[in-house]
Amino acid sequence: MEVVACSRCRRLFNYISGPKTCPNCLEAQEEEFQKVKKYIQENKGSTIGQVAEECDVSEKQIREWVRQERLEFAEGSNIGVNCEKCGQMIRSGRFCDKCKAAMTNSLNEVLESGKPKVEPKKKDPKDSPKMRFLS
Ligand SMILES: [Zn+2]
Ligand SMILES: [Zn+2]
């Protein structure tokens, strides 16, 4: 365990794992998330700026939730994030359907190109010096 400063409130806390956010802020963040989610459900036509203002949450935080696919915007809504590849507006995740499909295709091409998979050679335990017993 180590003591670190919370990335939000700079208070020191006992850090175990995950994001460097103290328990207080994690709870506050979860509340914000629920508020934003509810607001988006009730105000489908609002922009990301409006949501940020109304819910008192940074736009950056909202975009982060969208990228994590925790938040998804309704069909035809004005808000979304840009595809990380082509910049097209998407409602959830990191890439648009087109880019996702293109990436899947190129992945399949690689897999189908018939390259033999390089498998790591299994080491014979006898060859490992660590396994030798002192006689
Ligand atoms: Zn904090
Ligand atoms: Zn795209």
Side-chain angles (χ1 to χ4, degrees), residues 61-126:
Q61 176 66 79
I62 295 172
R63 287 204 176 87
E64 209 173 288
W65 283 327
V66 177
R67 296 235 186 260
Q68 290 166 353
E69 299 193 29
R70 290 190 70 189
L71 276 182
E72 192 170 355
F73 295 111
E75 195 82 36
S77 98
N78 297 327
I79 14 180
V81 291
N82 298 328
C83 167
E84 286 182 15
K85 237 180 135 85
C86 70
Q88 200 195 297
M89 188 88 125
I90 49 172
R91 282 181 292 273
S92 186
R94 298 173 57 196
F95 302 106
C96 69
D97 288 342
K98 224 166 76 185
C99 291
K100 261 192 226 168
M103 277 187 279
T104 313
N105 284 342
S106 56
L107 194 69
N108 284 341
E109 270 165 34
V110 174
L111 291 178
E112 282 161 16
S113 64
K115 271 188 194 164
K117 266 194 203 161
V118 185
E119 286 199 358
K121 276 180 196 163
K122 275 181 194 158
K123 268 190 189 159
D124 190 335
K126 270 181 284 182

Side-chain angles (χ1 to χ4, degrees), residues 2-7 10-16 20-21:
E2 80 191 283
V3 175
V4 299
C6 168
S7 59
R10 313 312 301 168
R11 228 183 345 217
L12 296 173
F13 71 106
N14 287 325
Y15 174 72
I16 304 161
K20 290 192 171 169
T21 315

Side-chain angles (χ1 to χ4, degrees), residues 47-63:
T47 65
I48 209 161
Q50 279 173 323
V51 178
E53 202 169 302
E54 288 297 319
C55 301
D56 200 19
V57 178
S58 71
E59 286 189 29
K60 192 170 155 258
Q61 176 66 79
I62 295 172
R63 287 204 176 87

